[in-house]
Amino acid sequence: MRAAEVLNDFVAQNFAPAGALAQIANGRVIGCRVVGERAPNVPFAINSKVRVASISKLIVGFCIHKLAIEGKIDLDADCSQYIGFMLRHPNQPNRAINTRMILSHTSCIRDGDNYQGKLGETLRSFFEPNGGHWSTEVSHDSKFAYSNLGYGVLAQIIENITGHRFDLAAKNLILDKIGVDAGFNWSGISDELVSQSSPLYRRAANSADWRVQVDGNPLALPRPTHNSPNGAPLSDYIIGTNGLLLSPQGGLRANIMDLMKIAEILMGRTSVFSQTQIAMMAQPVWEKPDDLATGSEREVFQSFGSGIHRIEAENQGPIIGLKRDLIGHYGQAYGLLGGVWVDAQTSSGFAWFINGSLEEPQVGVRSSLFAIEEDMMQACAEDLGLCR
């Protein structure tokens, strides 16, 4: 695999402590590679779990769609009925916000300086002027604003519909169905696997030291981990009041083979969703005009379905010569860079991540991604024959 060579070289040059890669062709895993260390002198392993950042959002979207298929939620109805308070844009009080808008980042919900959930606070406090987390930011004319906060709303919807805490609902609706021992904020993951996990790291360009950003010692913390300023136990949490608490926007802990299972969902090769259902979920809701900036931190978004990100073959993107659109999601936080991408038509795809990066990684040459993202995605696509 040329992608394995790219990953090996990147880690060998100390641009990341470790990385993992897996590929599927015609519905079959054809290769998996892990390199580097999860701690000094401790090899990274195929079962080493990491916080996979925004790849987590795929699971949130899958939960919502599962509930929709079961007839428990209407994606195009006013979502206020599901979250427990009236949700409106302050400049458009008569415009209902529905769940599909939030899934596709077209609801006008935008991230402020904070979207971290704390025990004792409520999600509602982010959306009311006297709530303590109110931000006056509004969306721009593109009607697209990539929003971590919005996925807290989705998690709260999941809690209110199922009656279960988000992390437990995600395991019941999706993760257990595909047979993976993964979870949000380490929910339900065995001590053995937690002990074999990897922190995420960052390193300054002028330093040789990798600094832990998250998950330095998860075994020492109550699991699932949660932010409790007063030390209160998670049992104090009132279900349906703070969808941000268990990090739906990016808190899934998973290993490379877990991501392969997520890829299989996107291919419609599991019992969770059919290929027809996945195709409907991936149908574009928003597509970026060529001349319009989205206002997001990195201009990486070409098209979004209902909770599924799309890379369009015909538009300028990170992969040269792509034959068909890919569906999946990027991940980028706390030093992690990675993604899960599939060509559903051929049941081919790939997942990859690095468990740390420089504070300022080298920028890409043909998109707003970082160079390692472009290089890994290009190499994976070429390995799988997804390019012309």
Side-chain angles (χ1 to χ4, degrees):
M1 296 188 293
R2 191 173 79 81
E5 296 175 1
V6 173
L7 183 62
N8 286 343
D9 291 345
F10 194 76
V11 173
Q13 295 177 71
N14 199 31
F15 293 138
L21 161 70
Q23 296 177 339
I24 297 178
N26 299 316
R28 183 173 63 88
V29 177
I30 61 169
C32 182
R33 179 70 59 88
V34 293
V35 297
E37 298 179 337
R38 58 186 176 89
N41 302 313
V42 181
F44 196 90
I46 194 170
N47 62 355
S48 294
K49 295 184 187 292
V50 299
R51 179 173 177 150
V52 296
S54 288
I55 296 170
S56 310
K57 292 183 173 70
L58 287 171
I59 301 300
V60 180
F62 292 155
C63 289
I64 291 288
H65 283 286
K66 191 69 174 173
L67 295 172
I69 290 169
E70 293 173 357
K72 297 176 180 177
I73 182 173
D74 181 348
L75 300 185
D76 299 304
D78 186 344
C79 71
S80 299
Q81 62 187 297
Y82 306 116
I83 59 174
F85 60 90
M86 183 66 70
L87 183 64
R88 290 290 188 271
H89 191 293
N91 293 345
Q92 302 175 51
N94 296 321
R95 173 179 176 262
I97 294 173
N98 64 46
T99 307
R100 193 182 306 277
M101 292 176 182
I102 303 174
L103 284 166
S104 59
H105 302 280
T106 57
S107 67
C108 294
I109 296 173
R110 296 194 67 178
D111 295 341
D113 293 334
N114 170 39
Y115 50 82
Q116 304 301 313
K118 297 180 181 179
L119 189 61
E121 296 183 343
T122 66
L123 180 71
R124 188 170 187 165
S125 68
F126 287 81
F127 295 98
E128 295 185 338
N130 61 351
H133 290 297
W134 173 257
S135 173
T136 58
E137 289 183 324
V138 295
S139 187
H140 35 75
D141 292 339
S142 75
K143 298 183 179 180
F144 177 90
Y146 184 79
S147 177
N148 292 286
L149 177 58
Y151 272 64
V153 175
L154 296 177
Q156 186 151 315
I157 288 172
I158 293 165
E159 289 192 346
N160 281 324
I161 291 176
T162 65
H164 297 291
R165 211 174 59 210
F166 164 71
D167 60 312
L168 301 177
K171 289 186 75 67
N172 180 58
L173 289 168
I174 304 297
L175 297 172
D176 288 348
K177 295 291 192 300
I178 59 174
V180 299
D181 189 0
F184 283 82
N185 288 15
W186 300 109
S187 179
I189 301 176
S190 66
D191 286 353
E192 179 181 4
L193 284 175
V194 175
S195 71
Q196 298 171 30
S197 67
S198 175
L200 298 180
Y201 299 91
R202 281 201 173 103
R203 178 172 71 83
N206 61 353
S207 171
D209 297 327
W210 288 100
R211 299 188 306 277
V212 172
Q213 304 296 297
V214 67
D215 289 339
N217 186 11
L219 275 175
L221 301 173
R223 299 194 306 276
T225 56
H226 61 283
N227 190 335
S228 180
N230 299 319
L234 189 56
S235 58
D236 284 359
Y237 174 61
I238 300 173
I239 292 170
T241 60
N242 191 352
L244 291 168
L245 185 63
L246 278 305
S247 306
Q249 76 282 357
L252 182 69
R253 271 60 171 191
N255 60 38
I256 192 64
M257 297 311 295
D258 297 334
L259 298 188
M260 283 287 91
K261 290 289 189 178
I262 294 174
E264 290 178 2
I265 294 178
L266 290 167
M267 294 174 184
R269 297 181 60 87
T270 71
S271 62
V272 179
F273 301 111
S274 68
Q275 290 181 330
T276 299
Q277 289 167 334
I278 288 292
M280 292 178 62
M281 293 157 59
Q283 188 71 23
V285 176
W286 171 86
E287 294 180 276
K288 178 181 177 292
D290 291 339
D291 60 347
L292 187 63
T294 65
S296 58
E297 181 180 357
R298 299 192 298 158
E299 295 295 317
V300 301
F301 304 111
Q302 290 179 289
S303 175
F304 246 96
S306 298
I308 296 176
H309 186 189
R310 303 173 56 90
I311 296 176
E312 297 186 336
E314 299 302 321
N315 288 342
Q316 182 179 358
I319 302 174
I320 299 172
L322 193 61
K323 294 177 184 177
R324 288 173 295 275
D325 295 355
L326 302 183
I327 60 174
H329 214 289
Y330 292 112
Q332 186 255 322
Y334 299 108
L336 178 133
L337 295 172
V340 177
W341 298 100
V342 308
D343 174 1
Q345 182 174 324
T346 63
S347 293
S348 299
F350 56 91
W352 74 280
F353 61 79
I354 52 176
N355 71 336
S357 55
L358 299 180
E359 289 182 349
E360 296 183 7
Q362 181 182 346
V363 298
V365 297
R366 56 185 176 272
S367 72
S368 58
L369 294 175
F370 297 121
I372 184 57
E373 295 174 291
E374 289 184 346
D375 293 346
M376 284 296 297
M377 294 172 71
Q378 186 72 41
C380 283
E382 291 177 1
D383 285 343
L384 294 167
L386 302 179
C387 297
R388 297 182 181 88

